Amino acid sequence: MTERLLLVALITSSLLALFAACMLGSTPMELPRVIAALFGQSSTADAVVIWQIRLPRALAAWLVGAALGASGAALQGLLRNPLAEPGVLGVTATASLFATFALYYGLAASSVFVLPAFSIIGALIATGLLATAAIRIKSVVTLILLGVGLSSFSAAAMSLLLNLAPNPFTLSDMINWLLGSVANRSFEDIEMALPFILLGLGILFVTRRGLSALTLGEEAASGLGLNLRTQRIAVVLGAGIATGASVALAGAIGFVGIVAPHIVRPVVHHDPARSLLPSALLAGLILVVADIGVRILPTTTELKLGVVAALIGAPAFAWIAMQRRSTHE
């Protein structure tokens, strides 16, 4: 499959998945009813289900996936490591920690921008630490271990906040961010996070050509005129903003940012710059499909999207790690 065909297939599949998300749920809706509701020619009840429940939820899942997919592809290109990803390297956990901190102290209630701001600050701090370490640490294993340590520390701090939660309502909100979910998301929630997601993705796409140069090594890239410092700052900033905004919208959702770039990389000839867009599209598609599965599974309590993503992504991460090791051996 060529790169152009891949993009067409992913865009088409994403649109079909969003449409399927409007049809499927605890009470399936027939195709004519969905079309009528989308174009304002249906009953009030159908319009409410589509425009206030199912469509915003599906769009939120797709946007979060796109942000994480592109961020994962960019970080992999920057660190020249196919195992790099916001969730694996602790960026998502740190963003969730800061969001949980804002919820714990009631700061999120003061303004709609407080929660995304705290999430983005946490993501930027974590990504900045990793980028700084990547300059000094040559071992990929050491860098991954640093990310695991950062993730573990953030998880421990979040557990402490959960343990000290002042009331059940605050505890419930904090658990939602910890497990990850797009349930009950509205267009207002999307409008709050969308500018930050677009800003982060915009920075990544503007500086994507520098990622291609880095595949030749830092010395060769510098010889081609690439400003390494500017490139690192741009990728860190873009990935941090996009990841932080995705956490503000859906909480902690991991592994999709490593699986999607790994799938599309052979099609784009392992060029990180060309993998950004298809990785974003595929990751968005994966989360929409996963959220459809969450909604139609016959469980007494709806599973969290972050839990399902981890159940799917963790084995994929292990398989990618094994493939990488066997290749080097």
Side-chain angles (χ1 to χ4, degrees):
M1 180 183 292
T2 64
E3 183 179 351
R4 181 172 297 179
L5 285 177
L6 175 64
L7 291 176
V8 171
L10 289 175
I11 292 172
T12 304
S13 298
S14 294
L15 292 175
L16 290 175
L18 291 172
F19 199 82
C22 293
M23 295 177 59
L24 301 174
S26 57
T27 303
M29 295 178 63
E30 295 81 5
L31 179 61
R33 290 175 59 189
V34 173
I35 295 176
L38 288 173
F39 291 95
Q41 299 175 352
S42 67
S43 65
T44 303
D46 286 351
V48 168
V49 170
I50 296 299
W51 286 100
Q52 296 188 23
I53 300 176
R54 293 186 178 179
L55 184 57
R57 176 171 180 163
L59 287 174
W62 192 89
L63 286 171
V64 169
L68 295 176
S71 297
L75 287 174
Q76 290 171 20
L78 177 69
L79 302 177
R80 299 190 300 282
N81 175 17
L83 300 180
E85 185 260 343
V88 173
L89 295 178
V91 179
T92 302
T94 308
S96 299
L97 171 61
F98 275 67
T100 304
F101 182 87
L103 290 169
Y104 178 83
Y105 285 101
L107 301 175
S110 61
S111 172
V112 294
F113 295 102
V114 169
L115 191 60
F118 269 73
S119 300
I120 290 169
I121 290 172
L124 287 175
I125 290 174
T127 317
L129 288 173
L130 291 168
T132 303
I135 299 173
R136 302 181 179 182
I137 298 174
K138 302 301 181 182
S139 171
V140 171
V141 175
T142 304
L143 187 62
I144 295 295
L145 290 176
L146 177 62
V148 171
L150 185 61
S151 181
S152 299
F153 174 80
S154 297
M158 280 189 288
S159 297
L160 177 61
L161 291 177
L162 291 172
N163 190 53
L164 299 175
N167 57 67
F169 302 104
T170 302
L171 179 62
S172 177
D173 288 339
M174 292 164 66
I175 290 177
N176 281 334
W177 294 117
L178 180 62
L179 299 181
S181 174
V182 290
N184 303 318
R185 296 303 181 266
S186 64
F187 281 113
E188 287 74 16
D189 295 319
I190 294 175
E191 290 174 1
M192 177 187 66
L194 183 59
F196 298 101
I197 291 178
L198 292 178
L199 175 61
L201 293 180
I203 294 173
L204 294 179
F205 279 98
V206 167
T207 59
R208 67 187 185 280
R209 298 196 180 279
L211 298 175
S212 297
L214 282 173
T215 59
L216 304 174
E218 292 189 352
E219 292 184 3
S222 181
L224 293 174
L226 178 66
N227 188 320
L228 296 178
R229 179 182 176 84
T230 302
Q231 182 68 30
R232 292 191 191 101
I233 292 175
V235 173
V236 166
L237 188 64
I241 292 174
T243 301
S246 72
V247 171
L249 183 58
I253 296 178
F255 294 107
V256 68
I258 188 174
V259 174
H262 182 77
I263 294 174
V264 306
R265 192 176 292 113
V267 182
V268 298
H269 306 289
H270 300 273
D271 186 345
R274 293 162 59 189
S275 72
L276 289 185
L277 181 56
S279 295
L281 293 172
L282 179 57
L285 174 62
I286 290 173
L287 282 193
V288 173
V289 173
D291 190 57
I292 292 174
V294 164
R295 290 193 287 123
I296 64 177
L297 281 175
T299 55
T300 54
T301 302
E302 183 178 290
L303 297 176
K304 298 297 183 182
L305 181 58
V307 175
V308 175
L311 289 173
I312 298 172
F317 172 77
W319 181 77
I320 293 171
M322 293 297 295
Q323 291 291 110
R324 178 176 172 81
R325 179 176 179 180
S326 62
T327 300
H328 283 284
E329 289 178 350

